[in-house]
Amino acid sequence: MDKDSDTALRVEGRVKWFDPSKGFGFVVSDEGGPDILLHANVLRNFGQNSVSDGAGIVLVVNRTARGLQATEVLKIEPPVATGAPPLEDAMHLTAEQVAALPLEPARVKWFDKAKGFGFANVFGRDDDVFIHIEVLRRSGLADLQPGEAIAVRVTEGQRGRLAISVGPWESALGPDGDFAR
């Protein structure tokens, strides 16, 4: 933990667990120590409504009477991938090919964590994009809410358009605030 000021600490760690329905979760510092409370509002200020267990995270943390509490999310990195492709339809794509796909701004139509999938609508397109729970996990997310703004990298699957990665809406915006195409 690096001291940035008298009360704020910069902490790098991993998400222990986060439950969007409860509105909070906990982070474990790479340097050890007590768990750090991560409230949903702090995560939303970063542009996400959820974060995947095991995701790498950099936080600004304050000590409170109740323990350590995150006050700002600086960076989130997806959990370490197992090397397996997220879905069979994407097996033909290399990591470089996935990274070269454009980020498309979209809104979540619906997502059912129990079923393990959902759909989003890409801005300016009529067809839905299928989102699998494993793609969310590999993207560092745990859940999506209807109407949530996201950015997706999409490929054509056997049954239509398929999200290969999902991120915050802001990642699809260019430096001028317009959609980067």
Side-chain angles (χ1 to χ4, degrees):
M1 290 187 219
D2 300 329
K3 279 202 170 195
D4 289 339
S5 69
D6 290 338
T7 58
L9 305 169
R10 183 180 181 277
V11 176
E12 294 184 28
R14 296 242 165 246
V15 175
K16 185 174 184 178
W17 62 268
F18 186 86
D19 187 336
S21 64
K22 290 182 179 179
F24 69 93
F26 289 93
V27 172
V28 177
S29 171
D30 288 346
E31 295 182 12
D35 289 353
I36 302 161
L37 175 67
L38 175 60
H39 195 272
N41 288 337
V42 174
L43 193 56
R44 276 193 286 275
N45 287 340
F46 182 71
Q48 291 185 198
N49 289 320
S50 69
V51 63
S52 180
D53 298 350
I57 193 163
V58 180
L59 305 167
V60 175
V61 174
N62 281 337
R63 293 186 191 278
T64 69
R66 300 173 117 192
L68 296 177
Q69 184 169 347
T71 56
E72 182 180 4
V73 175
L74 301 174
K75 182 179 180 182
I76 294 176
E77 292 186 358
V80 178
T82 61
L87 295 170
E88 189 174 318
D89 286 344
M91 290 179 72
H92 65 282
L93 297 174
T94 67
E96 293 81 21
Q97 289 171 318
V98 170
L101 291 170
L103 280 169
E104 300 183 54
R107 289 230 181 251
V108 176
K109 187 173 182 178
W110 64 269
F111 190 85
D112 188 328
K113 189 175 180 179
K115 290 181 180 178
F117 68 92
F119 291 90
N121 299 115
V122 171
F123 180 76
R125 294 187 66 132
D126 293 331
D127 50 344
D128 290 341
V129 174
F130 177 80
I131 302 174
H132 192 272
I133 187 76
E134 188 59 29
V135 170
L136 273 191
R137 287 186 187 120
R138 289 172 186 252
S139 299
L141 300 169
D143 201 358
L144 295 172
Q145 302 302 314
E148 183 175 348
I150 58 174
V152 292
R153 293 186 197 278
V154 178
T155 190
E156 286 296 325
Q158 294 175 359
R159 292 181 271 169
R161 291 174 45 89
L162 167 72
I164 298 297
S165 71
V166 179
W169 174 272
E170 292 79 14
S171 62
L173 300 177
D176 58 358
D178 289 333
F179 299 122
R181 293 264 181 208

